[in-house]
Amino acid sequence: EAGVTQSPTHLIKTRGQQVTLRCSPISGHTSVYWYQQALGLGLQFLLWYDEGEERNRGNFPPRFSGRQFPNYSSELNVNALELEDSALYLCASSQPGTSGRAMSYNEQFFGPGTRLTVL
Amino acid sequence: RKEVEQDPGPFNVPEGATVAFNCTYSNSASQSFFWYRQDCRKEPKLLMSVYSSGNEDGRFTAQLNRASQYISLLIRDSKLSDSATYLCVVSHNDMRFGAGTRLTVKP
């Protein structure tokens, strides 16, 4: 079974530019989560999507946004890039709960990440 | 106060040693608990879920104390391949990750 996939693997941008990162969840998973992991720091929760809707958002400015498509894949967009946005961006997916509803506490499976460098 | 706090580490232990990691969380309404491991420059991978009754998976034992809002991970008979960063994860409305504890197992 294919795992979570992310693209691109690496990206170099300059300050002020915009970037779009992509994620495809494991087949059958309806929830997609985005995290930021800056060098030497822990994972910071960015966004949670399920069934095309944003379910929760971390403490990040509005220039971080995203969406989820009908096939459950997702995009993370970051506008007006700043130097401190340089980080590994991880996507994770999880199954719906036993009732069919999205549950925030199901096990999450991570993709390999996109390493973003802002110069 | 951070939502999830872990031993800062690093832990450097010889092969065969027993090592324990601790984690505390601030949200008493948290519902699920996990330990993930993350190898250098790789994505986190689920090590084990943590249940109220405690659970064991081979050399790994996880404990949860809801009253004290405390989670632990015990690794027995450490192997070189156990070297990684161990992340404590607590879930309420979303997953909150601890900063991780780095473990290095040496020959």
Side-chain angles (χ1 to χ4, degrees):
Chain A
E1 180 183 303
V4 177
T5 59
Q6 291 186 244
S7 63
T9 54
H10 294 84
L11 207 50
I12 299 175
K13 292 285 189 178
T14 56
R15 286 178 61 189
Q17 285 189 306
Q18 178 267 342
V19 68
T20 298
L21 311 181
R22 296 178 176 82
C23 172
S24 292
I26 292 171
S27 177
H29 287 194
T30 61
S31 282
V32 170
Y33 309 79
W34 287 96
Y35 296 88
Q36 181 195 67
Q37 187 175 33
L39 190 63
L41 298 179
L43 275 76
Q44 301 297 314
F45 168 69
L46 269 163
L47 291 159
W48 171 28
Y49 290 97
D50 184 79
E51 298 287 355
E53 294 184 6
E54 182 180 299
R55 296 303 180 102
N56 202 1
R57 182 183 180 85
N59 188 24
F60 280 83
R63 58 190 186 84
F64 287 83
S65 65
R67 55 179 173 167
Q68 186 179 34
F69 298 98
N71 66 354
Y72 303 116
S73 66
S74 177
E75 284 182 353
L76 173 69
N77 298 293
V78 187
N79 294 321
L81 284 167
E82 300 179 2
L83 296 178
E84 53 265 33
D85 295 335
S86 294
L88 179 67
Y89 288 84
L90 290 159
C91 170
S93 72
S94 68
Q95 293 177 320
T98 52
S99 64
R101 290 172 47 239
M103 308 297 272
S104 65
Y105 45 82
N106 279 350
E107 297 165 5
Q108 294 182 12
F109 298 85
F110 284 82
T114 294
R115 191 163 296 280
L116 172 65
T117 302
V118 182
L119 302 176
Chain B
R1 181 185 172 189
K2 292 181 182 177
E3 292 188 52
V4 181
E5 295 203 61
Q6 295 186 239
D7 286 349
F11 285 63
N12 298 304
V13 303
E15 270 187 293
T18 296
V19 61
F21 302 139
N22 303 316
C23 172
T24 57
Y25 60 95
S26 60
N27 188 342
S28 59
S30 298
Q31 298 163 313
S32 297
F33 310 88
F34 307 92
W35 283 101
Y36 280 71
R37 72 170 274 168
Q38 186 173 24
D39 293 285
C40 189
R41 301 180 74 82
K42 297 282 190 179
E43 73 273 22
K45 293 187 177 179
L46 179 68
L47 180 64
M48 58 197 304
S49 302
V50 187
Y51 304 117
S52 297
S53 55
N55 49 301
E56 187 174 309
D57 182 3
R59 298 181 292 107
F60 299 85
T61 301
Q63 297 279 351
L64 167 64
N65 184 322
R66 285 187 183 269
S68 301
Q69 295 179 205
Y70 171 92
I71 306 159
S72 65
L73 176 68
L74 183 75
I75 305 176
R76 291 181 298 278
D77 188 24
S78 299
K79 311 291 185 191
L80 296 177
S81 57
D82 294 334
S83 297
T85 296
Y86 290 82
L87 306 171
C88 173
V89 185
V90 174
S91 177
H92 177 47
N93 289 321
D94 53 62
M95 292 276 200
R96 298 288 169 161
F97 285 73
T101 302
R102 176 117 184 95
L103 171 67
T104 301
V105 181
K106 298 186 175 181

